Amino acid sequence: MSQFYSFALIVLPFLSGLDGYFYHMQRECRYSSGDLKDLEFIDRYIFNKVEYKKYNSTTNKFIGYTEFGVKNAERHNKEGANDQEHTNLDATCRPNAEQYFKKILWHTVQPSVKVLSVKSGSQRHSTMLVCSAYDFYPEGIKLTWLRDGKEVKTDVTSTEELYNGNWYHQIHSYLELTPKSGETIACKVEHSSFSEPKIFKWDPSMSDGDRNKVIIGTSGLVLGLILSLAGVIYYKKKSTGRILVPTS
Ligand SMILES: *[C@@H]1O[C@H](CO)[C@@H](O)[C@H](O)[C@H]1NC(C)=O
């Protein structure tokens, strides 16, 4: 399994003239597996790019890499600074790992899925359907077309998994077909955010575009009727008023 590192850097520049000398400590929590069994804490001590000393929680010892580092490590091991360093494993690395795994590594977001008919460019088939899965995380999804529950492999094309640029992805799978009356056409979606594959049926009665046209048309008709009714009422009131109030 791959390793995951977490770094905390402390950089202390000691300026002398235009150049700088940098003292730098690098703390690493190394996670080689999801169960945290081989969790390891490493603390590196670096002066001016030279790592002269390192603490390793697995051996619970400092090791030196230069003459100064070796002496320094020996002294720290004798004085118990190694045991002090070891506390970072359970105080920092372990609780952080649990957070990172839950919130980042195992975090998933379900796609929102639409199955629609689009204009077909094909001569052979009357209909082209698209199954679109939007805004899922992480990458890794499978779309399958089903006709009456049976997988369809021919006349299927798909885009790659497209990266939105905002952590989320989308994908579009196309199926060209001539639908038979009474059959069910569906898109099966498999993704880590679902505990089991999810089926999305195509509703052939109306596409989204048609539905919008109907809504706009109906609204126009209702508005027209209200205005005509208002006009009729206004006209009636005016004409009756003329009769009731005699003019001199
Ligand atoms: C820490 O020590 C263990 C045991 O010797 C070793 O396997 C591991 O590679 C060391 N880790 C690092 C980062 O040096």
Side-chain angles (χ1 to χ4, degrees):
M1 203 169 178
S2 56
Q3 293 201 323
F4 303 94
Y5 306 125
S6 145
F7 299 111
L9 299 179
I10 301 167
V11 180
L12 304 172
F14 295 97
L15 293 174
S16 82
L18 286 173
D19 298 321
Y21 296 107
F22 291 89
Y23 183 75
H24 145 207
M25 284 164 76
Q26 184 167 312
R27 316 187 111 190
E28 302 171 13
C29 296
R30 299 174 78 115
Y31 312 122
S32 11
S33 65
D35 58 12
L36 303 184
K37 253 200 226 124
D38 32 19
L39 183 59
E40 191 170 81
F41 173 72
I42 303 289
D43 203 352
R44 300 177 194 276
Y45 296 77
I46 301 145
F47 181 67
N48 214 28
K49 296 190 196 163
V50 176
E51 183 178 344
Y52 66 92
K53 188 177 74 172
K54 180 170 89 177
Y55 169 79
N56 181 336
S57 72
T58 306
T59 52
N60 190 28
K61 285 274 181 288
F62 287 96
I63 337 169
Y65 296 114
T66 64
E67 195 186 341
F68 168 74
V70 170
K71 280 194 187 142
N72 195 266
E74 271 171 18
R75 188 163 59 82
H76 275 112
N77 286 330
K78 226 180 278 165
E79 286 173 353
N82 53 334
D83 293 330
Q84 228 169 317
E85 283 265 34
H86 197 269
T87 58
N88 286 306
L89 194 68
D90 289 314
T92 308
C93 291
R94 203 176 300 277
N96 278 356
E98 278 156 16
Q99 281 294 315
Y100 293 145
F101 282 22
K102 226 183 285 167
K103 299 279 194 238
I104 299 171
L105 212 53
W106 299 329
H107 183 66
T108 61
V109 178
Q110 294 190 352
S112 67
V113 179
K114 277 190 177 148
V115 185
L116 299 171
S117 71
V118 288
K119 275 218 172 75
S120 170
S122 146
Q123 306 291 329
R124 291 188 296 129
H125 292 296
S126 64
T127 309
M128 174 130 114
L129 300 184
V130 60
C131 177
S132 300
Y134 295 99
D135 297 338
F136 55 88
Y137 180 87
E139 228 175 335
I141 198 167
K142 192 177 170 202
L143 306 184
T144 315
W145 286 100
L146 303 173
R147 271 181 108 160
D148 281 334
K150 270 204 213 97
E151 186 176 342
V152 187
K153 283 193 179 146
T154 50
D155 299 319
V156 174
T157 50
S158 176
T159 65
E160 309 263 294
E161 289 185 38
L162 307 165
Y163 183 49
N164 284 0
N166 60 356
W167 289 86
Y168 300 120
H169 295 78
Q170 57 177 286
I171 190 169
H172 308 272
S173 176
Y174 298 88
L175 169 68
E176 287 188 64
L177 79 169
T178 307
K180 290 179 229 132
S181 77
E183 76 175 336
T184 314
I185 296 158
C187 175
K188 182 170 81 175
V189 181
E190 291 164 86
H191 186 251
S192 55
S193 60
F194 296 142
S195 53
E196 54 186 35
K198 230 173 163 174
I199 310 267
F200 297 87
K201 277 188 195 154
W202 174 48
D203 177 7
S205 59
M206 224 178 256
S207 75
D208 259 20
D210 289 343
R211 195 168 296 133
N212 283 344
K213 280 177 207 156
V214 169
I215 290 169
I216 292 167
T218 312
S219 311
L221 183 65
V222 169
L223 193 65
L225 282 175
I226 290 171
L227 287 176
S228 342
L229 199 65
V232 168
I233 291 169
Y234 179 71
Y235 173 76
K236 282 252 161 148
K237 275 235 167 115
K238 234 187 158 179
S239 51
T240 47
R242 210 176 286 140
I243 294 160
L244 283 177
V245 182
T247 48
S248 52

